[in-house]
């Protein structure tokens, strides 16, 4: 029990560190100015690939490459996912470096609602009444923000939608790749586009990598490490703590992004804009609420939540149940043998726990 608690505590610390780092990303990307969004995105992809390749070579975890190449379906899904995450990265950097960090924050506040909407539309998942209410409030927030600003909230919705689609596609891979392997595959697919983008920028004289001093060059090169570290921390957390905890920790990132916008990047948010944020926050409160006897929206597989299990998950559950039943029957037979033969040494030697 103590070991389990230690693992949960360690996992919570990893998750907290990951979301704190992601929350501080506006300050990191603001530091990369005067590079434009295209240059930052290209460097982020290429340097992340360098970090991933080095990591995989050190860990000797390259077998997944052959398996991925031999599976056209998985390769197609990873390719599509890479396009959505590149869109997310590019729009996020553009938002931060053009004074729209608060819009980026709003996008990640909206992300859980958009993810749920995708689950209903694409996966035909069913929602509880409170979840429908939360999605409805989120839609009202989008309408209000459009009317208030006079423009469609494009940046928040593109960020929320691209990340939700990325998550949906990653779900289709069935967890066959680790976070590090998946990031390597995605950046490998994106690398040729990133290289061409940099070549075009160099030809136009619009790059800053070698023209703004050593410090600026190192900042751009560090974008690979800045991408990989929080992702690895998140992967370590996800394997140790319940999905409920991860679902609650995720709200740290947009809160910190909003604080960065207001306190450090001098973005002014009008009172009417705060009302829009308030409507979104209300939707999130409703989303995370539970009625008596119900599980929240982030309940893990195996709870009574309205999650649709994949065929693989159902098969795994049945196998685990079969193993548990066989172990139970084995213990019962051993117990019967113990009481009928009077062999007290069986449990004294610890053999009675062999099936646990």
């Amino acid at each position: 029990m103590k070991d389990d608690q230690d693992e949960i505590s360690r996992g919570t610390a990893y998750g907290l560190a990951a979301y704190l780092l992601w929350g501080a990303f506006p300050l990191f990307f603001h530091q990369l100015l005067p590079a434009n969004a295209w240059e930052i995105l290209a460097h982020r992809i290429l340097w992340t690939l360098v970090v991933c390749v080095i990591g995989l070579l050190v860990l000797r975890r390259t077998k997944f490459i052959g398996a991925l190449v031999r599976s056209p379906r998985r390769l197609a899904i990873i390719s599509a996912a890479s396009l959505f995450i590149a869109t997310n990265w590019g729009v996020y950097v553009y938002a931060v470096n053009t004074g729209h960090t608060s819009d980026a924050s709003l996008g990640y506040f909206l992300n859980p609602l958009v993810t749920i909407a995708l689950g209903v539309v694409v996966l035909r998942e069913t929602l509880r009444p409170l979840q429908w209410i939360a999605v409805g409030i989120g839609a009202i927030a989008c309408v209000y923000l459009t009317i208030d600003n006079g423009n469609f909230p494009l940046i928040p919705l593109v960020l929320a939608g691209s990340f939700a689609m990325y998550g949906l596609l990653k779900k289709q891979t069935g967890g066959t790749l680790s976070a590090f392997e998946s990031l390597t595959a995605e950046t490998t697919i994106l690398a040729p586009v990133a290289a061409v983008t940099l070549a075009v920028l160099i030809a136009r004289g619009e790059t800053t990598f070698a023209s703004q001093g050593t410090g600026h060059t190192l900042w751009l090169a560090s974008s690979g490490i800045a991408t990989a570290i929080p992702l690895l921390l998140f992967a370590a957390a996800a394997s140790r703590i319940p999905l409920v905890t991860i679902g609650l920790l995720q709200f740290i990132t947009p809160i910190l992004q909003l604080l960065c916008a207001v306190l450090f990047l001098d973005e002014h948010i009008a009172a009417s804009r705060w009302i829009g944020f308030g409507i979104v926050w209300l939707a999130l409160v409703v989303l995370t609420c539970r009625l008596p006897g119900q599980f929240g929206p982030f309940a893990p597989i195996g709870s009574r939540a309205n999650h649709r299990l994949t065929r693989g998950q159902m098969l795994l559950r049945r196998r685990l149940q079969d193993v548990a039943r066989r172990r139970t029957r084995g213990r019962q037979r051993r117990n019967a043998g113990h009481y009928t033969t009077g062999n007290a040494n069986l449990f004294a030697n610890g053999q009675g726990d062999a099936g646990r």
Side-chain angles (χ1 to χ4, degrees), residues 82-304:
S82 68
L83 294 178
F84 279 106
I85 198 60
T87 300
N88 185 272
W89 287 358
V91 173
Y92 182 83
V93 171
Y94 170 82
V96 169
N97 289 353
T98 56
H100 293 90
T101 304
S102 60
D103 284 335
S105 170
L106 180 60
Y108 288 106
F109 277 124
L110 287 171
N111 177 248
L113 302 172
V114 175
T115 299
I116 288 176
L118 272 179
V120 173
V121 174
V122 179
L123 302 180
R124 306 292 183 184
E125 293 179 347
T126 57
L127 300 184
R128 302 192 316 267
L130 278 178
Q131 291 175 317
W132 277 115
I133 293 172
V135 172
I137 295 173
I140 291 172
C142 291
V143 173
Y144 170 82
L145 289 167
T146 301
I147 296 173
D148 172 64
N149 196 39
N151 295 308
F152 187 71
L154 186 61
I155 290 176
L157 288 179
V158 169
L159 286 174
S162 60
F163 200 71
M165 282 298 301
Y166 175 72
L168 177 66
L169 290 168
K170 293 295 287 291
K171 181 180 175 66
Q172 304 306 311
T173 64
T176 54
L177 298 176
S178 70
F180 211 42
E181 292 167 349
S182 180
L183 185 62
T184 304
E186 290 156 13
T187 50
T188 299
I189 292 167
L190 294 171
V193 179
V196 170
T197 300
L198 273 184
V200 171
L201 292 174
I202 291 172
R204 293 181 176 180
E206 297 177 3
T207 57
T208 62
F209 184 73
S211 62
Q212 299 293 319
T214 304
H216 180 73
T217 301
L218 293 176
W219 275 109
L220 279 172
S222 67
S223 58
I225 296 175
T227 299
I229 288 178
L231 185 71
L232 294 177
L233 288 170
F234 174 79
S239 64
R240 289 175 170 84
I241 60 179
L243 195 59
V244 176
T245 306
I246 292 176
L248 296 175
L249 284 175
Q250 73 173 346
F251 294 119
I252 292 174
T253 294
I255 290 172
L256 287 179
Q257 290 173 350
L258 183 59
L259 290 175
C260 287
V262 175
L263 299 178
F264 300 106
L265 302 180
D266 299 323
E267 289 190 20
H268 173 70
I269 302 177
S272 58
R273 187 77 168 172
W274 283 113
I275 294 174
F277 271 96
I279 298 173
V280 174
W281 293 335
L282 175 61
L284 295 176
V285 170
V286 173
L287 180 65
T288 55
C289 283
R290 309 179 191 182
L291 294 176
Q294 288 184 328
F295 286 76
F298 307 109
I301 293 172
S303 71
R304 288 174 290 165

